[in-house]
Amino acid sequence: MTSAAPGGQLAVPAPRPAVAAPRVAALVVAAGCAALTARPLLLGVAGAGPAPVLTALFLALLAVGALWPAAAARPGSPVAPVLALGVGAFVVGRLLAAGSPPPPPATALVVGLNTLAAVAEEAFFRRLVYGALLAGGPAVALGGSALLFAAVHVTVYGLWVLPLDLAAGLLLGWQRQVTGSWAVPAVTHALANLLVVL
């Protein structure tokens, strides 16, 4: 609110309290996590099939995560070794899981949807959620974003996936932390998702 100061000049408005943004971020994070957790229910009521529903969900998540106001990224470690380490960890994981059920056929739709899901989840978890939790310190941002990432996958894959996705979330969060960018974990996650279908 602006008011007239003595002498007829306009006074500078009082700054707004900074608590509104964290509250809004908490609501957006809760809504995004709820939507991801509800994927099996959303697919159950979708008359058009799973692809349009999942595409819409991941596009919305990508838009919210990528467009959310965030502090400028600070330069961090060189990208190439951090990316190679992350991708290497997922390659080893895939080799160790060689006896798991066969992957779905690698159609263009499956590859495209898996890639969109990876980038959208990283924009949401490693940009928005990590950034919102960073006020509590780097450990809170890393651990909190990894825990939420793992939790939203339980309804889709089952409880057995919790430790695996927690480890993946910690690795992706570490990449975000040391590079200062969510793009490196997004590339790693997309390549990891491709390893599952190839």
Side-chain angles (χ1 to χ4, degrees), residues 1 8 16 28 43 54-55 66 79 85-86 93 131 134 140 149 179 182:
M1 175 186 273
R16 300 188 77 154
V28 170
L43 294 177
L54 291 175
T55 301
V79 169
L85 201 73
L134 199 52
V140 170
F149 173 78
T179 63
W182 69 275

Side-chain angles (χ1 to χ4, degrees), residues 14-103:
R16 300 188 77 154
V19 294
R23 287 182 185 157
V24 172
L27 290 173
V28 170
V29 167
C33 288
L36 286 168
T37 302
R39 276 181 283 180
L41 296 173
L42 293 173
L43 294 177
V45 297
V53 173
L54 291 175
T55 301
L57 172 64
F58 288 125
L59 284 174
L61 206 63
L62 176 61
V64 168
L67 298 175
W68 190 260
R74 60 170 181 74
S77 298
V79 169
V82 174
L83 181 62
L85 201 73
V87 171
F90 281 103
V91 167
V92 168
R94 183 66 182 138
L95 291 173
L96 292 174
S100 62

Side-chain angles (χ1 to χ4, degrees), residues 105-115:
T107 64
L109 178 64
V110 169
V111 170
L113 201 51
N114 274 335
T115 303

Side-chain angles (χ1 to χ4, degrees), residues 166-194:
L166 182 58
L170 289 169
L171 174 67
L172 296 165
W174 168 79
Q175 288 184 310
R176 160 64 174 88
Q177 197 168 67
V178 299
T179 63
S181 170
W182 69 275
V184 174
V187 171
T188 301
H189 193 162
L191 292 173
N193 278 9
L194 285 176

